[in-house]
Amino acid sequence: MANEIQTVAIYCGSNNGRVESYTQFATILGKVLAKRKINLVYGGTNKGLMGVLANSAIEEGANVTGVITERLKAKNQVHPNLSMIETFPTMQSRKARMIELADACIMMPGGIGTLEEFMEVWTLNQLGETSKPLGVLNIDNYFGNLIAFIEHMIAERFLPSAHINGIVVNSDPEELINLLVKFSPVTVEKWLD
Ligand code: AMP
């Protein structure tokens, strides 16, 4: 059965990255969301790929909600043109709200903040606390080493092999959304022993 995806939470860098393809694909993803009438939830800032993504989605008419902490807001890092901004006292409460709003989550290239937020949702899915379709936009194979490391976890028996299907990976934004619509949750328990 197809998942109904009205709102996607996107985790991505507060920096732009080294090569232009990261910003190019952030722009394309923003356009695809608007075209498909999918609402965007993200970190709420104008910095880095987050700012590029939000600008593109807003320009194309998507509904964009920023979820930010009071500390970052006080640093004047809030994007000025959002449809909605929600402010939370801690990163923890902010992350919980982003997950609550999202029908699916996507990770684009970014740093440790991006990775941590995405991995939290994958972990919650694994423990049965949530059941969100999860996608990785693998621009220029940025996540190749991460995927290799996940395969290493499987080989070393810290992760059941079926759990690689807990995320979908694609380099094309439109195709990634299609995969999220078709996503089915992993039902295999996480414990191997
Ligand atoms: P990073 O990948 O380390 O640049 O961190 C980006 C992720 O952490 C984003 O998905 C945000 O949710 C959060 N984050 C980091 N810096 C900021 C910021 N200045 N404003 C809002 N969120 C941020």
Side-chain angles (χ1 to χ4, degrees):
M1 209 180 63
N3 303 303
E4 198 184 328
I5 298 180
Q6 287 177 351
T7 302
V8 173
I10 300 191
Y11 308 116
C12 60
S14 54
N15 288 300
N16 282 321
R18 185 178 60 87
V19 295
E20 223 175 280
S21 49
Y22 301 135
T23 48
Q24 280 169 353
F25 274 84
T27 303
I28 295 170
L29 181 55
K31 285 186 182 162
V32 169
L33 294 178
K35 190 185 81 180
R36 295 178 73 145
K37 308 227 177 312
I38 295 173
N39 306 318
L40 167 64
V41 170
Y42 85 112
T45 178
N46 47 17
K47 294 208 146 309
L49 288 192
M50 282 191 276
V52 174
L53 170 72
N55 283 339
S56 164
I58 292 164
E59 220 169 274
E60 300 290 325
N63 185 293
V64 180
T65 298
V67 186
I68 201 162
T69 57
E70 277 153 17
R71 184 190 292 263
L72 290 168
K73 193 175 179 184
K75 284 186 181 225
N76 282 334
Q77 293 192 357
V78 176
H79 194 294
N81 303 321
L82 301 176
S83 322
M84 174 102 85
I85 182 85
E86 295 191 15
T87 312
F88 286 85
T90 62
M91 279 303 265
Q92 280 75 13
S93 49
R94 168 183 169 276
K95 284 189 294 177
R97 179 60 176 156
M98 288 177 78
I99 295 168
E100 186 180 39
L101 289 171
D103 300 312
C105 306
I106 289 177
M107 172 167 70
M108 288 193 344
I112 56 173
T114 299
L115 198 59
E116 188 270 335
E117 291 176 348
F118 186 78
M119 284 298 175
E120 177 175 341
V121 195
W122 193 1
T123 308
L124 293 172
N125 274 358
Q126 202 184 39
L127 294 169
E129 305 241 341
T130 55
S131 179
K132 309 275 178 184
L134 297 180
V136 175
L137 187 61
N138 195 18
I139 304 166
D140 279 353
N141 201 29
Y142 176 74
F143 291 107
N145 289 334
L146 177 67
I147 291 154
F149 183 63
I150 291 163
E151 282 162 0
H152 179 62
M153 288 179 192
I154 291 169
E156 294 301 306
R157 293 187 52 81
F158 284 105
L159 184 70
S161 56
H163 282 229
I164 196 79
N165 300 321
I167 57 170
V168 290
V169 182
N170 206 280
S171 59
D172 179 66
E174 187 91 53
E175 188 49 32
L176 187 67
I177 307 269
N178 292 340
L179 290 170
L180 292 174
V181 169
K182 286 189 266 180
F183 180 94
S184 42
V186 171
T187 51
V188 174
E189 288 269 39
K190 70 167 283 188
W191 299 281
L192 288 158
D193 307 309

